[in-house]
Amino acid sequence: MGALPDPRRCRASRPLAALAAILLLMLWTVPRARDGVRSSLARLKAVDLVAAAVEDGGDAYPSTELTAFWKVFSRALVDADPGAAAIGRDITSPDFLWTDMKPGWTPPDVLQMPWEQLSRLQASHAGFVRRLLAPARSPSALPPLPYRRGSRGIVTSSASGSLQVLVVSIRMLRRTGSALPIEVFLEQADDVVSSACTEVLAALGARCLLLGAVMGRAPLNRPTGSYQVKAFAIAFSSFQHVLWLDADAFPIAPPEQLFDAAVFRRDGLVSWPDFWAVTTSRHFYRVAAVKPPADATARASTESAQLLIDKDRHGATLLLTTYYNHYGLQYYELLSQGARGQGDKETFPAAATALGLPFYQVEQPALAVGHGWAEGHAWDAIVQHHPQEDFDSRHHEDIIPRPFFFHNRGIKADASSLVAAMLRFRTRMWYGAEEMEARFGFDVERAVWDEVLLTACELAREFPAMRNDPGLCGRARMTAECLFAGGACEFGVRG
């Protein structure tokens, strides 16, 4: 593909393939016979042949370079402390659907920002950016962010109690034929994590890494919570080109192609939209000393279950994002004003904007798949689209961007949650089989259930919550047969 124009650019060996296809077909089938956990693990290890690009992963972690970087960078984060005071607001910002907003709309500002607090935030932000951009020979310069040049991979994170969900997501990824290596960042180690990492995730080409192995070398002045993990995990990963995926998100096509997309090669940072409009406060632009966008409706707010970033071109963006997340008490308010989904979602585009670096956000609206809210439970998944096809569709009306990612934000993909949900709501989560196949090329929900069954029936020994529920596999099989195979069931649901 030739050079791209610049519309509405956001500133700021066949044999092996054949073998892989055969192996994937074998892996997709959930065995009826109970062969036992170890025999299934042997089959799982065949994925290593598909994931031929996955490196040994035996390198010491953290590296000497990463440790040295963190000792200096953590000090810079602490030195930039803007104060402990939270930002007040009159009300929570209402939810504004992006597709309903007309050009020229401006989000209301509901924050209370005393002059003293604004001044301290401005000084903190300016000082931290100076450190980021200091010339290499400057006494205040930060050491370079270490990573393996030219490397590509997927980065994710998980709590120990959600590892079975992550396994399902990774197996959905491997169904696409993707051979990308994966680094899984964990906040703490325990017996569950150790067993799942060594017996299951390693066989899927995923390497477990502990955030504390780095951050414990030089503790910060504030605790790191769930929202803050993403930016630090991406920064600590060994890859230059990173596809971030939340633990409950997966692609339905090989994501290798995204790294070669012209729009990613051009801008080095790609984000995807949420349903809501951007509600960033005018005070953020004052803090960052940049002009606000001419049109607040030019893009939707960000849905950050997936993100594509080149650390060579956006290293400063990534590090500024860690600053925003570390001081999320202030910056989450500045960027979202309490609107739905407030957290890390806006920090990546905000950092690129503050540094005057380009990024591309997919324009095709996110698709909600499923039944929405019922009895306090969100059933829907968020579907996101191919970024290059999104770009091309802006110039060619006959191009319709393909669905590419599923973010299962509703009932999580573990057997216990799904069985309980089916007993309560008595229906499939998303669409019927015919509509799923028409929209996405295959029945994604059926595929997720296949992987859930494998995890619950063949790998349960590795996850205590399932190991301690010996009837779970049987209940899950009965539920799946009711939903997809027309088997006998109490609530009369058919696929």
Side-chain angles (χ1 to χ4, degrees):
M1 183 173 293
L4 288 169
D6 191 16
R8 296 174 54 183
R9 191 177 185 188
C10 299
R11 286 300 303 165
S13 138
R14 291 183 182 177
L16 181 58
L19 175 60
I22 293 169
L23 289 168
L24 283 170
L25 283 171
M26 294 172 62
L27 289 166
W28 291 354
T29 303
V30 178
R32 291 283 181 179
R34 297 184 178 181
D35 299 334
V37 173
R38 298 304 166 190
S39 62
S40 289
L41 289 173
R43 290 194 298 275
L44 280 170
K45 292 180 186 298
V47 176
D48 283 338
L49 297 177
V50 178
V54 178
E55 296 193 356
D56 175 50
D59 297 338
Y61 183 87
S63 66
T64 302
E65 294 79 8
L66 181 55
T67 298
F69 167 82
W70 177 245
K71 288 181 177 179
V72 177
F73 183 69
S74 61
R75 187 71 253 169
L77 279 173
V78 172
D79 290 345
D81 193 336
I87 296 176
R89 49 180 148 87
D90 299 320
I91 61 172
T92 295
S93 177
D95 296 327
F96 300 99
L97 275 173
W98 178 60
T99 51
D100 288 348
M101 299 299 102
K102 305 299 182 183
W105 172 82
T106 301
D109 210 300
V110 301
L111 298 187
Q112 301 167 353
M113 180 65 73
W115 174 250
E116 295 82 3
Q117 190 174 26
L118 176 61
S119 297
R120 184 161 185 169
L121 282 162
Q122 288 174 323
S124 168
H125 192 282
F128 190 76
V129 170
R130 280 195 300 270
R131 290 290 309 269
L132 288 182
L133 303 181
R137 295 184 179 181
S138 169
S140 63
L142 296 170
L145 180 63
Y147 51 82
R148 290 185 288 110
R149 288 201 165 273
S151 59
R152 301 173 170 183
I154 293 170
V155 178
T156 187
S157 67
S158 177
S160 62
S162 301
L163 282 170
Q164 63 268 33
V165 175
L166 177 62
V167 168
V168 170
S169 295
I170 293 178
R171 289 189 59 82
M172 290 298 293
L173 164 76
R174 295 303 185 211
R175 276 177 173 250
T176 72
S178 175
L180 286 169
I182 305 168
E183 292 180 345
V184 181
F185 281 83
L186 304 159
E187 294 186 62
Q188 60 185 12
D190 55 30
D191 291 340
V192 177
V193 167
S194 178
S195 178
C197 287
T198 59
E199 298 294 343
V200 181
L201 290 171
L204 290 167
R207 181 187 185 194
C208 293
L209 302 168
L210 288 176
L211 277 171
V214 182
M215 303 183 82
R217 305 296 177 98
L220 292 169
N221 55 335
R222 296 189 185 186
T224 300
S226 58
Y227 282 127
Q228 288 95 338
V229 166
K230 184 178 301 180
F232 286 107
I234 296 173
F236 296 161
S237 72
S238 67
F239 310 126
Q240 174 182 336
H241 304 283
V242 172
L243 171 62
W244 168 270
L245 290 174
D246 279 2
D248 53 1
F250 56 85
I252 58 173
E256 281 87 340
Q257 61 192 280
L258 301 184
F259 295 107
D260 297 319
V263 71
F264 178 62
R265 295 201 309 268
R266 184 191 73 177
D267 289 347
L269 177 61
V270 176
S271 59
W272 278 264
D274 206 338
F275 304 115
W276 316 106
V278 176
T279 55
T280 299
S281 168
R282 67 182 185 276
H283 295 301
F284 169 75
Y285 301 104
R286 292 173 179 171
V287 168
V290 294
K291 291 182 179 181
D295 182 2
T297 68
R299 68 173 181 88
S301 63
T302 303
E303 198 269 313
S304 59
Q306 56 284 304
L307 183 88
L308 200 60
I309 186 169
D310 175 359
K311 293 198 285 192
D312 183 54
R313 300 174 60 190
H314 278 278
T317 301
L318 177 56
L319 297 180
L320 184 55
T321 300
T322 65
Y323 165 82
Y324 290 158
N325 281 276
H326 184 56
Y327 296 112
L329 182 66
Q330 290 85 14
Y331 281 97
Y332 293 164
E333 289 289 339
L334 286 167
L335 294 171
S336 296
Q337 302 191 84
R340 189 178 302 210
Q342 175 169 299
D344 63 9
K345 57 182 289 179
E346 295 304 312
T347 57
F348 284 89
T353 298
L355 296 171
L357 295 174
F359 68 95
Y360 182 82
Q361 180 153 302
V362 170
E363 187 177 72
Q364 180 74 21
L367 174 66
V369 178
H371 306 290
W373 287 85
E375 297 185 26
H377 293 275
W379 275 79
D380 59 319
I382 300 178
V383 175
Q384 300 286 4
H385 298 81
H386 195 294
Q388 187 59 50
E389 294 175 4
D390 176 77
F391 180 92
D392 294 341
S393 71
R394 300 185 185 189
H395 310 284
H396 305 281
E397 294 183 356
D398 59 327
I399 295 178
I400 301 175
R402 283 176 294 162
F404 204 89
F405 291 108
F406 264 70
H407 177 203
N408 186 23
R409 69 174 188 171
I411 305 300
K412 298 306 180 184
D414 71 84
S416 181
S417 297
L418 285 177
V419 169
M422 297 306 147
L423 289 174
R424 174 178 294 183
F425 300 115
R426 305 187 177 196
T427 184
R428 290 170 57 121
M429 290 188 295
W430 302 329
Y431 300 131
E434 290 186 6
E435 188 168 1
M436 291 293 286
E437 291 172 4
R439 286 175 175 262
F440 310 114
F442 68 105
D443 189 344
V444 182
E445 184 170 348
R446 175 70 179 267
V448 168
W449 264 96
D450 286 347
E451 301 303 346
V452 167
L453 288 173
L454 186 144
T455 305
C457 298
E458 302 298 317
L459 304 177
R461 187 179 302 177
E462 313 304 333
F463 304 98
M466 293 188 290
R467 182 174 66 231
N468 296 332
D469 185 355
L472 181 59
C473 171
R475 297 197 307 274
R477 285 196 184 279
M478 289 177 62
T479 304
E481 288 173 1
C482 173
L483 288 173
F484 305 115
C489 57
E490 295 181 3
F491 50 83
V493 176
R494 296 293 183 267

